[in-house]
Amino acid sequence: LNLDLSTRNMAAINPILGGLLMTAVLAFSGATVPEGCDVCAEVKEEYCTIWPESKLCSLKCGFEFDQKAGACKEEGTDMMVGRSNGDAPPIIGGNGKFRYQYMPNLVVPPTGAAMVNCHGLSIDKDENIILTYQNDGKDPHCLIKWNPDGTNGTFASKDTPELCSGTPHGLKITTEGTEGTQYLYHANNQQKLAKTTLDGEIVWIVEGNFGQNDTCLNTSCPLDSCHCTNGKLPYIPTWFATPPNSEYMYLCDGYGSDHVYAFERSTGKYLNKSWGGRSPAGLHPGAAGPTQPHGLFMENHGCTYDPRVNNTIVVSDRRNMRFEFFHYDPNSYEMFEWYKTVDMSPSLGSETLPCNMRMTYGSKYDPSQEGRSIVPDLNGPVAVLDNEHNVLSVVNVSVLLAAEQHKHPHDAIFLANGDMVVATWAPGRISYWKLLPTE
């Protein structure tokens, strides 16, 4: 999703809108969709706190739904669907050994999908591609699966409005038990956490507050970066980290309190242990972002298990333009200990908003990829990093696919063959990029 963080009472008033508003929006009394606008417009207020000079901010709705295409678009624009008859010149981005060609006829959504925002991606053990997305309230689904080559997009057979209402956001996959059964872990901005089968059948679901200490302190919302309604911390969860060698998992409350919460994976039970909170520079830290105290965050948007280093979870501290690295104990939920920070502003610019860091690993992991990672930046690029976090290549998705409005990369993954898939927010899009052979 977005740089969200709206007040939670908005979700109660309108379950479709609630999850979409961001941390920035918490400074407002609560966003509403203007009369005559549709669900796509709910993101405008948040969007304009990030990019206030955008021409979209002067329009009534900012974004609107295109019924024919089944997706949101910028208000007043013609919808351009990126399917090719083979006559168009190829769209290629990246640098050096990591150049990618956009494949417009792959990861095509199934008929009936209404992708308001595309949020989280995962890969199963058969290398199928899985997307979670926010729908328009009429499409009952929120999960789409494609074959490993990006063909044959199909809805999950057992996802339901119970799972899909609100704003489905973070998605992680784990392999569990002696038979190697895989499960999906969902974080929905509308205060909803769930474990499901790959088909979307609910194993457990936790809605609303889960027993956390939600008392608002004087330091909870520095520089008016959020509001505490009735003395309670905001809670808008964004992503789970699900380390495979532990029965515990960690939730990032990235659009809410900026805490990290420990859970039991099998039951969804909160273990009464948390870390973090808001960093003192607030919502617009600027150059001070990367130097904020370690273990405090301004939008701890993504939480990811890092298979390259023993017992490590990477937290994307988005507004502070950095990644924070933590050690956890596989046998205990008591430890979440910072040990390293990577500042992304020198390589991706002073306005970078790194959403996630995803690594290639799994059943068909290619060791020749040498531990590389991929970083989607909400400002438009997608970066390929080496195992020392140096940028090897940048694919300027928002520039290359501007006509199709792939504007704000929110998640990205490598496939086992080195190709990559990118999901974007405001508006929702998904794209497949084929790794080109080196000359």
Side-chain angles (χ1 to χ4, degrees):
L1 173 73
N2 15 64
L3 286 186
D4 359 85
L5 271 120
S6 60
T7 49
R8 215 52 237 168
N9 62 337
M10 272 306 298
I13 294 169
N14 188 325
I16 297 176
L17 298 182
L20 258 181
L21 305 168
M22 77 181 168
T23 312
V25 178
L26 285 173
F28 296 89
S29 59
T32 57
V33 173
E35 185 177 354
C37 300
D38 56 43
V39 63
C40 299
E42 71 189 38
V43 75
K44 179 190 173 186
E45 186 171 4
E46 168 185 352
Y47 179 96
C48 293
T49 66
I50 309 166
W51 299 288
E53 302 302 318
S54 170
K55 65 180 181 180
L56 297 176
C57 299
S58 64
L59 302 178
K60 179 182 178 181
C61 302
F63 298 88
E64 59 190 7
F65 197 77
D66 187 296
Q67 295 292 341
K68 184 177 180 180
C72 295
K73 65 177 182 179
E74 294 178 348
E75 183 180 356
T77 62
D78 293 326
M79 184 73 179
M80 179 176 177
V81 179
R83 310 300 166 220
S84 174
N85 59 8
D87 295 334
I91 295 174
I92 295 173
N95 318 93
K97 296 180 180 179
F98 305 103
R99 297 171 67 246
Y100 298 84
Q101 180 175 334
Y102 170 53
M103 307 300 288
N105 295 321
L106 297 180
V107 291
V108 177
T111 301
M115 298 191 305
V116 172
N117 286 292
C118 295
H119 286 147
L121 292 160
S122 283
I123 303 293
D124 70 16
K125 61 185 177 182
D126 296 320
E127 305 301 328
N128 296 305
I129 302 160
I130 303 171
L131 168 75
T132 190
Y133 66 98
Q134 180 198 3
N135 62 40
D136 65 347
K138 300 174 184 176
D139 168 9
H141 299 285
C142 60
L143 289 171
I144 299 173
K145 181 176 74 174
W146 289 270
N147 292 343
D149 61 359
T151 60
N152 191 34
T154 56
F155 292 117
S157 60
K158 296 181 180 179
D159 62 347
T160 64
E162 183 181 8
L163 176 70
C164 296
S165 63
T167 306
H169 188 275
L171 187 70
K172 286 292 170 64
I173 192 168
T174 62
T175 303
E176 302 176 15
T178 56
E179 296 183 0
T181 304
Q182 291 197 301
Y183 297 94
L184 295 171
Y185 289 85
H186 309 253
N188 186 312
N189 293 160
Q190 196 180 305
Q191 297 186 334
K192 186 158 53 176
L193 312 173
K195 175 180 181 177
T196 72
T197 66
L198 298 191
D199 291 329
E201 183 176 12
I202 293 171
V203 176
W204 55 252
I205 190 165
V206 178
E207 298 189 67
N209 282 17
F210 46 80
Q212 75 270 39
N213 181 353
D214 60 0
T215 302
C216 187
L217 306 175
N218 330 354
T219 56
S220 296
C221 296
L223 304 180
D224 295 322
S225 58
C226 60
H227 288 321
C228 291
T229 304
N230 298 323
K232 302 297 184 182
L233 284 172
Y235 165 48
I236 309 174
T238 49
W239 234 292
F240 275 115
T242 55
N245 63 345
S246 177
E247 62 184 285
Y248 309 114
M249 61 184 183
Y250 303 86
L251 175 70
C252 279
D253 186 18
Y255 300 151
S257 67
D258 278 300
H259 281 92
V260 177
Y261 297 103
F263 284 80
E264 187 175 67
R265 207 167 61 186
S266 60
T267 63
K269 177 185 176 182
Y270 174 53
L271 297 169
N272 201 31
K273 189 71 178 179
S274 67
W275 303 265
R278 287 279 171 92
S279 52
L283 189 61
H284 302 286
T291 63
Q292 291 299 288
H294 301 304
L296 297 178
F297 313 103
M298 187 58 249
E299 286 181 1
N300 59 347
H301 181 262
C303 287
T304 301
Y305 164 72
D306 189 341
R308 303 168 299 180
V309 187
N310 285 341
N311 303 330
T312 289
I313 289 172
V314 185
V315 175
S316 59
D317 187 9
R318 189 162 67 180
R319 288 289 185 124
N320 287 329
M321 302 180 287
R322 66 186 184 178
F323 290 102
E324 295 261 279
F325 289 71
F326 297 84
H327 282 310
Y328 67 91
D329 181 348
N331 301 310
S332 169
Y333 57 84
E334 295 285 346
M335 187 175 101
F336 198 78
E337 185 175 280
W338 173 86
Y339 73 91
K340 182 172 72 173
T341 293
V342 174
D343 176 7
M344 296 306 298
S345 60
S347 52
L348 292 180
S350 61
E351 296 183 352
T352 183
L353 296 166
C355 289
N356 232 329
M357 179 183 287
R358 308 294 295 273
M359 285 63 67
T360 301
Y361 67 100
S363 60
K364 299 178 183 176
Y365 171 58
D366 179 1
S368 70
Q369 294 184 38
E370 299 171 346
R372 288 190 289 275
S373 64
I374 187 168
V375 173
D377 183 335
L378 203 69
N379 259 322
V382 173
V384 178
L385 278 60
D386 66 16
N387 61 4
E388 298 295 329
H389 316 301
N390 301 304
V391 174
L392 299 172
S393 179
V394 174
V395 179
N396 287 304
V397 171
S398 64
V399 175
L400 294 169
L401 299 184
E404 298 171 25
Q405 300 184 16
H406 294 241
K407 295 297 184 69
H408 305 294
H410 186 270
D411 201 12
I413 51 171
F414 286 130
L415 307 183
N417 60 7
D419 296 351
M420 69 179 186
V421 176
V422 179
T424 65
W425 165 77
R429 302 285 188 271
I430 185 168
S431 56
Y432 189 109
W433 297 80
K434 182 177 179 59
L435 179 63
L436 297 176
T438 54
E439 297 179 355

